[in-house]
Amino acid sequence: MTSSLKSQNMKFELTVVVPVYNVENYLLRSIESLGSWLNNKAIEILIVDDGSTDDSLLVARHIEETYNNVD
């Protein structure tokens, strides 16, 4: 995913990196398993797509729009 303006001016205590490759069917559940970390202002969640050939990138973009601390 590309760096967005959301995280450029924010300081985080923890960054969670989620590598993604052809996991379209599991990505949302995986991110939601982070539970209380979602929308926690001290934690940044980065989804890194490594050239998936399925719709993982579309799912990741949807997740990014849904949660404030996901890029």
Side-chain angles (χ1 to χ4, degrees):
M1 313 247 350
T2 59
S3 176
S4 73
L5 294 176
K6 287 191 288 188
S7 64
Q8 289 181 358
N9 296 322
M10 300 175 81
K11 293 184 180 182
F12 298 101
E13 294 177 24
L14 177 67
T15 299
V16 177
V17 178
V18 180
V20 170
Y21 184 77
N22 290 345
V23 292
E24 161 189 12
N25 296 325
Y26 310 102
L27 182 56
L28 180 59
R29 185 172 25 164
S30 174
I31 295 298
E32 288 179 341
S33 75
L34 296 172
S36 63
W37 288 8
L38 291 171
N39 287 324
N40 181 328
K41 293 179 182 179
I43 298 171
E44 171 184 42
I45 301 169
L46 299 179
I47 300 174
V48 180
D49 181 59
D50 193 19
S52 295
T53 57
D54 64 358
D55 284 331
S56 293
L57 183 58
L58 293 175
V59 174
R61 287 188 175 147
H62 171 73
I63 294 168
E64 178 183 25
E65 292 171 0
T66 303
Y67 298 103
N68 293 329
N69 63 334
V70 177
D71 280 330

